Amino acid sequence: MTLRAAGRALHAPPGLDERALTAWLDSIGRARGVEASCAEILNEIDRTPSGGRRALERLFTLAGNMHQWKEEILHDAGTRGQTR
């Protein structure tokens, strides 16, 4: 959902599958100065084992990372700290 929402907000080309959308969003993120990689966060989520408290804590952390990534990409991380 986060990928699609960011893609819609940034006017991603229509018809991209998840992999292509992720690559497109990461290229936009790099151009905007976003340090985090959407693809890396998703890979971490996929590698997190299921079950147990540690896994749940890790998934919450990664969900927060994904939210932070979305905020940065949508609000142009390159402008952080600049006076308006």
Side-chain angles (χ1 to χ4, degrees), residues 63-76:
N65 293 351
M66 182 61 83
H67 175 75
Q68 180 66 33
W69 166 85
K70 181 182 173 191
E71 289 299 307
E72 289 182 15
I73 198 169
L74 293 182
H75 302 293
D76 200 356

Side-chain angles (χ1 to χ4, degrees), residues 8-46:
R8 279 190 305 276
L10 296 171
H11 308 288
L16 297 178
D17 63 15
E18 184 177 313
R19 187 174 178 171
L21 179 58
T22 300
W24 187 86
L25 288 167
D26 273 345
S27 70
I28 297 298
R30 283 189 301 276
R32 290 178 171 222
V34 176
E35 292 181 20
S37 164
C38 176
E40 289 177 15
I41 296 168
L42 291 174
N43 285 335
E44 284 289 321
I45 291 169
D46 287 342

Side-chain angles (χ1 to χ4, degrees), residues 44-45 47-63:
E44 284 289 321
I45 291 169
R47 287 193 304 263
T48 300
S50 60
R53 180 179 172 175
R54 286 183 188 233
L56 186 59
E57 289 173 354
R58 181 70 181 143
L59 289 173
F60 275 120
T61 298
L62 291 168

